[in-house]
Amino acid sequence: MARSDHRSGSQLPVTPTTLADVAERAGVSRQTVSNAVNNPDLLRPDTLERVRQTIAELGYSPNRAARNLRTRTSSLIGLRFTPAQEGTANATMDRFVHSLVEASDEAGYHVLLFPADDEDPVGGYDNLLRSTAVDAFVVTDTYLGNPQAAWLSQQRAPFVAFGRPWDDDVARHVWVDVDGAAGTRLATQHLIDRGHTRIAWIGWRKDSPIGEDRRAGWLSTMHANGLSTTGLASRVEDVVHSGAEAAAVLLDESEPTAFVCASDTLAMGVLHTLWIRQLAPGRDIAVVGFDDSQVAQVFPVGLTSVRQPLEDVAVEIVRTLRALLAHQPVEARGVLLEPSLVIRESS
């Protein structure tokens, strides 16, 4: 059910039916409604039938989850986990999960992982809420059009998102994120300070708000330094071979002396193309990635990369979750953390 906001034309969710609503409509006490749900044998058949009919009419769903979420009975935090994509160097979520487990443990919580299901993105959340298995959630899928955050808000379930609500300017849920644009500004300025003026960008498709945020950092820094970006940008899928192909085209058509990439995966593609052309990373062509993956750290030359402060992200998320569960005010709806640049031989 929803009511119209005539000023904006949008649909706003109606407050869910409560046990008190059922009791008032049926003309019984709250305890009687509770007994109808949990101990029906205690009620007379006619009373039980009247309460059940009212429950059906109002669409009431007994929210045992809300009770347990308030009292923190499980000490578990739910996290929907998606495996790393094949053909990429992206292990950011692995590092984040490890950091979240450590931060949660220090606060007296444990992390419960549950699998992702693209066909039913809220199904896992719904199952855990109904079974009262967790106290709260951490949501990492905040990309364009993803329904989890909005659904959890409607259920009044405590959660904190790792990532901004990119497509929802009026979202009221709490989030923690890393400033991707600040990271690529660091990367681009580092290359400019090293004397580069033809700095190419290889990023993700335009429908990725995270990718566009990172691209904005490269673009603004180039313009702030009076440098042209014409013909120096490419948008591709986040896989190694796409980065390699984009690098080959840019080298042939635009002759850059350096690359800033939206991920270490794309940077590895650039390095592959340089290897084929017998160009030395750092000496002939500079390369900077993003995420400071293990691949960046163990690559023979050493890949310069933007490092996200995932340990700080995890600590901030757990701190905020504790405040939400204790019904304490949260200082800020959104917290944006600064990344750092780890400089290695590739730049």
Side-chain angles (χ1 to χ4, degrees), residues 68-343:
N68 281 4
L69 286 166
R70 285 194 300 269
T71 56
R72 296 189 294 180
T73 56
S74 72
S75 295
L76 291 175
I77 296 171
L79 175 67
R80 181 177 185 261
F81 187 71
T82 304
Q85 181 184 350
E86 296 290 336
T88 72
N90 185 9
T92 301
M93 282 306 301
D94 291 342
R95 187 173 139 230
F96 170 68
V97 169
H98 180 76
S99 299
L100 183 65
V101 167
E102 286 193 336
S104 300
D105 183 63
E106 291 180 4
Y109 291 91
H110 298 286
V111 177
L112 175 66
L113 300 180
F114 60 98
D117 183 354
D118 292 335
E119 294 184 0
D120 186 11
V122 300
Y125 295 94
D126 190 36
N127 290 337
L128 290 175
L129 272 180
R130 290 181 180 277
S131 64
T132 67
V134 299
D135 290 349
F137 293 97
V138 174
V139 176
T140 59
D141 303 306
T142 60
Y143 53 83
L144 195 66
N146 197 284
Q148 283 96 326
W151 186 86
L152 287 170
S153 295
Q154 291 172 359
Q155 304 302 313
R156 298 183 177 181
F159 76 97
V160 176
F162 176 20
R164 281 162 274 182
W166 297 98
D167 58 338
D168 189 354
D169 294 334
V170 297
R172 299 298 300 158
H173 67 263
V174 184
W175 55 266
V176 180
D177 203 1
V178 177
D179 191 342
T184 49
R185 283 197 296 270
L186 285 174
T188 307
Q189 190 61 53
H190 161 68
L191 293 171
I192 292 171
D193 292 343
R194 299 286 295 175
H196 294 279
T197 58
R198 300 283 296 167
I199 303 171
W201 167 259
I202 300 180
W204 302 327
R205 300 293 187 188
K206 199 168 185 177
D207 60 357
S208 167
I210 298 175
E212 290 301 283
D213 183 51
R214 295 179 184 183
R215 182 180 183 275
W218 163 79
L219 189 67
S220 64
T221 305
M222 292 288 283
H223 290 170
N225 285 271
L227 300 176
S228 173
T229 58
T230 303
L232 287 171
S234 179
R235 290 187 174 95
V236 297
E237 297 295 329
D238 190 33
V239 290
V240 173
H241 69 80
S242 293
E245 292 170 358
V249 172
L250 286 166
L251 285 169
D252 290 340
E253 296 182 355
S254 303
E255 299 183 345
T257 63
F259 289 86
V260 176
C261 302
S263 68
D264 285 348
T265 296
L266 295 177
M268 292 305 297
V270 175
L271 294 172
H272 181 71
T273 294
L274 297 184
W275 176 76
I276 290 176
R277 299 190 177 201
Q278 297 185 334
L279 295 171
R283 185 189 68 195
D284 298 323
I285 302 290
V287 185
V288 180
F290 200 110
D291 283 335
D292 195 30
S293 63
Q294 289 184 327
V295 173
Q297 299 172 32
V298 302
F299 185 74
V301 173
L303 175 63
T304 297
S305 187
V306 177
R307 183 176 179 85
Q308 300 194 58
L310 298 181
E311 297 80 7
D312 296 337
V313 170
V315 169
E316 185 66 28
I317 285 175
V318 173
R319 184 191 68 79
T320 305
L321 280 176
R322 293 184 69 183
L324 290 176
L325 291 169
H327 302 288
Q328 297 173 352
V330 177
E331 295 177 3
R333 285 287 172 183
V335 176
L336 201 58
L337 300 177
E338 294 284 324
S340 57
L341 184 66
V342 181
I343 299 174

